[in-house]
Amino acid sequence: MASEITNNGNGEMSKEERKVYDRQIRLWGYDGQKKLREIKVLLIGMQGLGAEIAKNLILSGVNSITLKDHTEVSILDCCSQFLIPRDSQERNRAKASMSAAQKLNPNVKVIVDTTPIEQNVDSFVTSFDVVIATECSPTTYKRLSELCRKAKVKLFIADVYGLFGYFFQDVNFKHNLYGEVFLDNKIYTDSLPAKIPRAYFLTSALLKFQSESNRKPNPDTCEEDVDELKSILNPTLDQLNISNNIFDEYYGELFCELSPTTSIIGAMVSQTAIKNAMDKPIEKYNVFFYDHIEHEGQFHLL
């Protein structure tokens, strides 16, 4: 595994650490902070959303966080990736993020891994307490869901498309797997609840687009990508007697990872992961959608 590790002390919390985490200890107690301090996190994907999640978890005081990304820094990172210095000469996204991430909290081990997740053996993934996956293919998400469920590793899957975003969680190992909620090459199944949020249909179409095109919608090909999304969505909307115009306001705002939504989804994923570390999971729901047109985010059980 290609990795770089910074040193971090183990054992009892020092006086200096207690000062750093004083406000958090007042909020959830010393025992709560100790639980958080034991959590080892794997974070896959270091674009804007990954940067937000990394920042929140590092500041909270987890034991360690592995920043995993094999891709190179691109112009799209300028939209929301604040951990990469503008003058950075490092091309790998995770490596370029490491220095700023570590400075956030020297008490946390920050580890960089540049191996594609598809090349890792199962035991690597299951060695963590929490796995948070972003920017992966739907096939990889499905594999991680099945693997983490089997090993009882808490899993969060999240993505942002422009100003729209969602995340999936599997923390009590009782609800549907990711591949049972977002099905291969399908947008809708009768096995889901009768009342399905419209954000579900858009998310499913985006995932199908990603599977077929091997990428997210791109601003350089925005017109062609919108047409393709419509061709994926409209047959299902027709089948359900839903107007094809329902997503007209959304189509132009599904490109890049824009900072207003990466901050919202990043905060929700981090907060939910921290609650799990405190043994206070949000157990009744498994999917969260942020609808930027309606200006609201809601949990659902699908």
Side-chain angles (χ1 to χ4, degrees):
M1 177 177 68
S3 63
E4 297 177 3
I5 305 178
T6 59
N7 293 324
N8 178 49
N10 293 314
E12 289 298 316
M13 201 180 301
S14 66
K15 289 184 179 180
E16 289 73 19
E17 283 183 275
R18 292 192 187 201
K19 288 180 180 179
V20 170
Y21 302 130
D22 178 67
R23 290 186 179 182
Q24 294 172 192
I25 291 173
R26 292 170 186 266
L27 177 62
W28 49 58
Y30 180 75
D31 289 341
Q33 189 64 42
K34 282 184 66 177
K35 289 179 181 178
L36 194 58
R37 195 172 178 265
E38 296 171 356
I39 298 297
K40 297 179 180 180
V41 180
L42 171 61
L43 174 58
I44 305 168
M46 283 304 297
Q47 208 172 1
L49 178 57
E52 283 285 351
I53 296 169
K55 175 203 68 176
N56 295 335
L57 293 180
I58 291 170
L59 289 174
S60 73
V62 296
N63 178 282
S64 68
I65 184 165
T66 296
L67 310 180
K68 187 173 187 61
D69 198 318
H70 66 282
T71 60
E72 292 190 351
V73 178
S74 76
I75 188 65
L76 297 180
D77 291 315
C78 296
C79 296
S80 55
Q81 223 293 12
F82 52 82
L83 292 177
I84 300 176
R86 291 293 178 258
D87 59 351
S88 175
Q89 298 301 307
E90 176 58 61
R91 297 313 305 153
N92 175 267
R93 206 181 259 155
K95 285 184 177 181
S97 302
M98 184 178 184
S99 178
Q102 186 64 77
K103 287 178 182 177
L104 291 169
N105 189 347
N107 297 307
V108 174
K109 292 179 185 176
V110 177
I111 304 165
V112 166
D113 188 317
T114 60
T115 305
I117 185 62
E118 292 80 9
Q119 295 180 16
N120 286 117
V121 296
D122 292 354
S123 59
F124 168 77
V125 176
T126 58
S127 65
F128 295 89
D129 302 298
V130 176
V131 173
I132 302 174
T134 72
E135 296 182 67
C136 297
S137 69
T139 300
T140 298
Y141 287 150
K142 183 178 178 181
R143 174 206 166 203
L144 289 171
S145 179
E146 294 169 353
L147 178 59
C148 289
R149 170 70 67 90
K150 185 177 180 180
K152 297 294 190 286
V153 173
K154 294 175 181 179
L155 172 68
F156 297 85
I157 291 171
D159 263 315
V160 167
Y161 302 85
L163 292 172
F164 176 79
Y166 83 102
F167 81 83
F168 166 92
Q169 67 166 7
D170 188 11
V171 295
N172 63 5
F173 315 117
K174 295 178 181 178
H175 302 314
N176 284 336
L177 292 166
Y178 185 86
E180 295 171 325
V181 174
F182 300 107
L183 294 94
D184 293 336
N185 300 316
K186 291 183 180 179
I187 300 181
Y188 174 74
T189 173
D190 293 336
S191 64
L192 291 172
K195 188 176 181 180
I196 301 176
R198 67 180 180 181
Y200 168 82
F201 298 109
L202 181 58
T203 304
S204 296
L206 286 163
L207 290 169
K208 186 175 181 183
F209 176 97
Q210 203 169 338
S211 293
E212 295 176 350
S213 304
N214 198 30
R215 62 176 176 82
K216 289 182 174 180
N218 191 296
D220 291 336
T221 54
C222 58
E223 292 185 7
E224 296 91 332
D225 291 354
V226 168
D227 288 341
E228 179 63 24
L229 280 170
K230 288 180 179 180
S231 72
I232 293 171
L233 260 171
N234 287 350
T236 299
L237 297 178
D238 290 339
Q239 178 186 349
L240 298 172
N241 294 318
I242 299 174
S243 171
N244 288 177
N245 299 326
I246 189 172
F247 293 116
D248 283 355
E249 289 186 81
Y250 294 77
Y251 288 128
E253 300 173 341
L254 298 175
F255 303 95
C256 307
E257 290 191 1
L258 300 180
S259 55
T261 302
T262 58
S263 63
I264 292 170
I265 298 297
M268 291 302 301
V269 171
S270 306
Q271 179 183 6
T272 310
I274 289 170
K275 284 188 174 184
N276 273 278
M278 304 295 172
D279 298 322
K280 299 177 181 179
I282 300 175
E283 294 184 304
K284 295 181 180 180
Y285 309 102
N286 61 349
V287 182
F288 176 89
F289 296 110
Y290 175 68
D291 187 323
H292 63 286
I293 298 298
E294 299 295 330
H295 303 292
E296 65 178 14
Q298 289 188 355
F299 279 101
H300 300 272
L301 177 60
L302 298 176

